[in-house]
Each structure stands twice: as C-alpha cells, then as structure tokens.
C-alpha cells in the first residue's frame, strides 16, 4: 500500500481524526490570534516599529525555549505510576 493511502486510512480512524482536527483548529486559532494582536498594536499606535517589536516578542520564546524544553521532556521518565 502506498504512503498516501496509509495516511488517509489513519485520518479516517475516529480517534486520530478528531485529534488531528482539534490540532488543526488550534493552530488556525493561534495564527489568527497573532495576526489580531499585531493588527491591534498597529491600529492603536500607528507604529510599525512597535508592531515589529510585538511580532519579535511573540516569536522568540518558542524559537529559543522550544529546543531546550524538548530535550528536557525527552529525558524525563515516561512512567510515573
């Protein structure tokens, strides 16, 4: 079976399909929130510098902390029971 057919079969499964749909909706909401915040800053201050600063402040923490947190979580013990 080719990889596309396997991927589609995975999406058709109820549990995985609902998880995938929820993640997709969450990502769309996060993106709209970022755009709305940048738009709000520009509309209230009329400053592209402030808008750029807010964009950088939104982007830097995931870029800098993401890899560190990923390594930390990978090293945690999986079973705590």
């Amino acid at each position: 079976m080719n990889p596309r057919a396997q991927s589609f079969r995975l999406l058709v499964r109820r549990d995985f399909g609902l998880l995938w749909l929820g993640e997709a909706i969450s990502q769309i909401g996060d993106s709209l929130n970022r755009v709305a915040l940048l738009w709000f800053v520009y509309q209230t201050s009329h400053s592209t510098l402030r808008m750029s600063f807010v964009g950088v402040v939104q982007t830097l923490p995931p870029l800098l902390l993401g890899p560190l947190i990923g390594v930390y979580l990978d090293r945690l013990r999986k079973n705590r029971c």
Side-chain angles (χ1 to χ4, degrees), residues 37-39 41-43 45 47-56 58:
L37 182 59
L38 291 172
W39 189 4
V41 169
Y42 183 72
Q43 289 294 320
S45 69
S47 169
T48 54
L49 181 64
R50 288 182 182 172
M51 187 180 76
S52 300
F53 178 72
V54 169
V56 168
Q58 282 181 325

Side-chain angles (χ1 to χ4, degrees), residues 23-78:
E23 286 291 327
I25 290 171
S26 177
Q27 291 293 325
I28 291 169
D30 287 344
S31 299
L32 288 175
N33 186 28
R34 285 179 181 264
V35 170
L37 182 59
L38 291 172
W39 189 4
F40 173 75
V41 169
Y42 183 72
Q43 289 294 320
T44 56
S45 69
H46 298 289
S47 169
T48 54
L49 181 64
R50 288 182 182 172
M51 187 180 76
S52 300
F53 178 72
V54 169
V56 168
V57 168
Q58 282 181 325
T59 305
L60 278 181
L63 284 177
L64 297 176
L65 298 177
L68 299 173
I69 292 171
V71 169
Y72 174 73
L73 291 176
D74 284 342
R75 292 183 181 182
L76 280 179
R77 216 173 87 213
K78 303 294 185 238

